[in-house]
Amino acid sequence: MSDKPDKPKDRREFLVRAGIGAGLVALGTQALASLRSLVPNVSYDSPTTVKLGPPGEFPDGMKFLPDQRLFVFREGTVFHAISAVCTHLGCTVRAEALSQVETRTVEGSPLKVTHRFLCPCHGSRYTGDGENVAGPAPRPLAWYHLSVAADDGQLVVDLARPVPRSFRLAVA
Amino acid sequence: MASPPETARPQAPGVHPRPFWSVAPASDRQAGDAVVSNFALHWFPAKALKDSLAWRYSLWLGTISAALLLLLTLSGLPLLFLHVPSVERAYGSVKDIEYVVTFGYWIRSVHRFAAHFMVAAVFLHLARVFLTGAYKNGSGGNQHREWNWVIGVGMLLVTLFLSFTGYLLPWDQLAYWAVTVGTNIASAVPVVGARIRELLLGGRTIDQPTLIRFYALHVVVLPGALAALFAYHMWRIRKDGGLASADRASAPTASVEVPAGASKTYTLLGIARGTGPTIRASSVEARDTTVNSVPDLTRRAAIVVLGTVAFVAILSVFVHSPLEEPASALVTPNPAKAPWYFLWLQEIVTDTTIRIGSFTVNGAFVGGVLLPGLLVALMVAWPWLDRSPAAAAGRWFPRTRRTQNLVFLLLVLLVLALTFVGTFCRGPYWRLYWPWQAWPDLPTRI
């Protein structure tokens, strides 16, 4: 109130303005409080670390896990996992098997590429290692960290932990 | 208690003695009273310019939009009782409405058709107002039609958001993936995007909090906002001196000396501030340019409203509303298409990912936030950018506004073309196909 250019002429005017100001501040604060109540404090989302099952039960090649929206690849004893969430607007991409398997070098490590990924929403296309090659997708598909659970030896994915595309999990 | 004799009782001022109005008033006095003293009609002027009522000028698109809003409110009420906003039961309840509830499919179709038509009608109304320059202030003083245009743009956005929140409620595949895409567009907003998405979803994943939020928005918040904007929109029309075409009809040049009336006890109910042209008695009350609102205006309004209701109600008997498979996070439909009025946006988010060297801007931001934002900003600012003369207000395609009308129509054409491509030329994986071309047989599930 006090920093206004037109100084209140008398006490009455000052009190009127202070009253109106206090009312506005009160209304604003209550509106903000109401809005804040809509921001969740507790997340009931499913956990980001998920046990996927014993590694031996995964087929050689690719397996799609719809609940995690995840592709898990197995090449003998070596595993890696690629997200099925399109980096453009979050639709689930579909895998399409390539007619012939090719081996590519991805970030220094060789990778047997068996599929490519296509998004049904806006037509983004990715190669088998998740690289975005066509359509509006701005980034490659995420690779997620895999590990083996200490207690029961199940394969565990951490959906909150993206890893570089050279990541491989070798299961003994 | 003994009541004082009828004559001694003071009359409440200006309350119409009859619960409704006189459909065929016997005198001008009665016609004026029918409006001024009547609750249902008091927002109309007592007299209306013939030019304002012309079918060919306004095409009555605003009235059609209002009629559709009325229909949506009425058909929404039974749906409100029947729909269960829970992720487990929403789909089942809508399926029940469609297949089990008596007349349920009809009520749902009325609601859905009215919603589709309302998007179209509100947009066409906006196009009419633009093409006739009706957001321009005419010859009257203290008019602020530009603000009513801004309110109108706001109402178009609320209408679109109502449609968006509405088609989520069945919780089918269309709903689930529309929320996915829609809220990811919101999260493409710089800095606060992720927070907006979390606020909309009520969490980080689409679940019960999401459904209840969109439900509350659809049935309370947005209709309330639309009602408030609608009331203000109507009030402003009166305060700005009626339709823009009325400015011309009542311009001083058209003034005719009116012989002093014998019993002129009424006047316009709403008076433009200052010296608005509508209060120039010489023209507004001239017998050859004006008519009594009752019954001339009320009759046409009734024709439009009842016609709209009849059209939607009858169409809904014959055409059922679609319901996709239950929402499933596991499978994105292929192709996943938004409703027709969002398909042009789906097209531009597809085509606007920009790559400069290694630097990439997501199409979600360019096509989903930046371009629509610019378009809305341009629309809002247009009345202040339009430098055409006041005489161009309230005319179809005036010479002085030819360029801007052409640009507007080109933009509309572009949006329609994108909508056409999205509707008819996009197949699986959003690839381009001719409308007559068969789509390849792809597995629907992986």
Side-chain angles (χ1 to χ4, degrees):
Chain A
M1 286 284 114
S2 57
D3 57 3
K4 285 210 166 184
D6 48 336
K7 276 190 172 175
K9 288 182 198 95
D10 55 27
R11 183 170 35 185
R12 182 165 302 195
E13 195 173 336
F14 170 77
L15 287 173
V16 165
R17 286 181 180 205
I20 292 171
L24 289 178
V25 168
L27 279 178
T29 317
Q30 289 169 69
L32 282 177
S34 308
L35 197 64
R36 176 60 184 84
S37 74
L38 297 178
V39 180
N41 289 337
V42 179
S43 164
Y44 296 102
D45 300 344
S46 39
T48 55
T49 311
V50 190
K51 284 188 177 174
L52 303 175
E57 286 184 6
F58 280 81
D60 224 36
M62 188 206 77
K63 184 181 183 187
F64 175 58
L65 304 173
D67 290 321
Q68 286 76 36
R69 299 168 84 192
L70 190 73
F71 298 107
V72 176
F73 294 84
R74 176 178 178 185
E75 215 184 310
T77 55
V78 180
F79 289 81
H80 69 274
I82 301 180
S83 163
V85 180
C86 182
T87 55
H88 177 230
L89 282 170
C91 294
T92 306
V93 299
R94 288 160 186 243
E96 203 177 74
L98 298 176
S99 51
Q100 53 186 30
V101 179
E102 49 186 84
T103 305
R104 297 173 47 155
T105 307
V106 179
E107 294 189 3
S109 332
L111 181 73
K112 212 198 254 179
V113 175
T114 54
H115 289 79
R116 63 172 184 161
F117 306 109
L118 302 109
C119 182
C121 286
H122 305 91
S124 293
R125 266 177 275 160
Y126 304 85
T127 54
D129 61 328
E131 183 71 38
N132 51 321
V133 284
R139 288 185 311 278
L141 294 173
W143 283 46
Y144 286 126
H145 184 265
L146 288 176
S147 57
V148 174
D151 52 350
D152 56 3
Q154 288 197 43
L155 205 58
V156 175
V157 66
D158 188 348
L159 296 168
R161 189 170 163 194
V163 289
R165 276 180 279 170
S166 53
F167 176 89
R168 302 286 186 281
L169 173 74
V171 178
Chain B
M1 261 186 11
S3 61
E6 199 69 18
T7 44
R9 192 159 57 179
Q11 293 273 307
V15 174
H16 201 351
R18 292 163 70 169
F20 293 102
W21 59 90
S22 169
V23 177
S27 65
D28 278 4
R29 172 72 190 251
Q30 239 179 48
D33 271 359
V35 169
V36 177
S37 314
N38 185 281
F39 172 73
L41 295 177
H42 75 271
W43 62 346
F44 284 135
K47 291 206 152 207
L49 283 150
K50 282 181 185 167
D51 281 25
S52 305
L53 303 185
W55 297 111
R56 274 188 303 179
Y57 171 67
S58 71
L59 310 176
W60 287 72
L61 287 161
T63 311
I64 293 175
S65 309
L68 290 167
L69 178 61
L70 173 77
L71 203 51
L72 280 161
T73 312
L74 294 179
S75 59
L77 280 176
L79 295 176
L80 197 57
F81 285 95
L82 297 167
H83 175 266
V84 185
S86 110
V87 290
E88 287 87 21
R89 296 178 59 188
Y91 184 81
S93 69
V94 174
K95 210 167 142 197
D96 273 1
I97 291 169
E98 188 66 31
Y99 298 109
V100 179
V101 175
T102 309
F103 299 126
Y105 88 89
W106 176 71
I107 295 167
R108 179 165 172 252
S109 258
V110 166
H111 201 69
R112 177 172 165 274
F113 273 120
H116 280 286
F117 290 143
M118 188 168 156
V119 172
V122 171
F123 178 76
L124 288 173
H125 177 51
L126 177 137
R128 191 281 292 174
V129 168
F130 189 94
L131 294 173
T132 56
Y135 53 77
K136 294 173 66 62
N137 297 318
S139 44
N142 281 321
Q143 290 176 322
H144 288 290
R145 289 216 173 94
E146 64 275 11
W147 287 112
N148 224 9
W149 164 264
V150 174
I151 298 292
V153 172
M155 288 167 84
L156 172 65
L157 297 181
V158 175
T159 304
L160 287 173
F161 203 33
L162 267 166
S163 307
F164 180 68
T165 50
Y167 70 72
L168 304 180
L169 301 183
W171 214 242
D172 60 353
Q173 281 286 64
L174 173 70
Y176 187 88
W177 294 100
V179 192
T180 305
V181 169
T183 53
N184 274 317
I185 286 177
S187 73
V189 174
V191 190
V192 290
R195 281 174 180 223
I196 295 177
R197 179 165 194 267
E198 204 177 328
L199 191 66
L200 284 171
L201 294 185
R204 257 159 278 157
T205 52
I206 297 168
D207 214 323
Q208 182 61 51
T210 316
L211 177 55
I212 208 75
R213 272 166 201 233
F214 282 100
Y215 176 79
L217 285 171
H218 186 76
V219 303
V220 178
V221 180
L222 294 170
L226 195 57
L229 289 171
F230 175 58
Y232 187 63
H233 200 66
M234 299 311 291
W235 185 79
R236 277 234 67 95
I237 293 174
R238 297 296 312 283
K239 296 299 151 184
D240 289 333
L243 303 195
S245 63
D247 281 10
R248 247 174 336 105
S250 59
T253 46
S255 68
V256 191
E257 267 321 303
V258 177
S263 61
K264 194 169 287 174
T265 53
Y266 52 83
T267 177
L268 280 179
L269 179 61
I271 295 171
R273 274 175 287 141
T275 53
T278 46
I279 59 165
R280 280 172 210 272
S282 55
S283 58
V284 169
E285 302 198 353
R287 297 214 163 254
D288 53 343
T289 53
T290 60
V291 287
N292 286 324
S293 288
V294 177
D296 288 59
L297 169 61
T298 46
R299 188 196 297 126
R300 286 199 174 187
I303 290 171
V304 171
V305 172
L306 294 178
T308 307
V309 171
F311 178 70
V312 175
I314 293 169
L315 183 67
S316 303
V317 172
F318 298 107
V319 186
H320 292 220
S321 299
L323 183 63
E324 296 194 358
E325 286 176 44
S328 160
L330 316 183
V331 168
T332 310
N334 190 12
K337 287 194 184 189
W340 59 271
Y341 41 85
F342 285 137
L343 275 177
W344 64 282
L345 278 171
Q346 193 169 0
E347 274 297 321
I348 60 174
V349 295
T350 303
D351 307 324
T352 50
T353 293
I354 298 167
R355 291 186 181 82
I356 305 156
S358 62
F359 186 69
T360 306
V361 185
N362 195 347
F365 173 67
V366 181
V369 180
L370 198 64
L371 282 178
L374 280 176
L375 221 54
V376 170
L378 196 63
M379 279 209 288
V380 164
W382 198 255
W384 288 274
L385 302 173
D386 179 354
R387 295 264 165 239
S388 62
R395 286 171 201 270
W396 279 96
F397 302 114
R399 201 173 283 268
T400 44
R401 297 185 68 247
R402 194 154 51 184
T403 314
Q404 50 178 307
N405 274 345
L406 274 177
V407 171
F408 177 83
L409 284 175
L410 277 176
L411 279 176
V412 171
L413 211 61
L414 183 69
V415 167
L416 288 179
L418 288 174
T419 308
F420 179 85
V421 172
T423 311
F424 297 109
C425 307
R426 290 292 188 178
Y429 299 123
W430 210 242
R431 285 190 197 126
L432 284 168
Y433 295 91
W434 291 112
W436 54 86
Q437 221 176 341
W439 291 354
D441 231 3
L442 291 170
T444 48
R445 288 173 190 284
I446 307 167

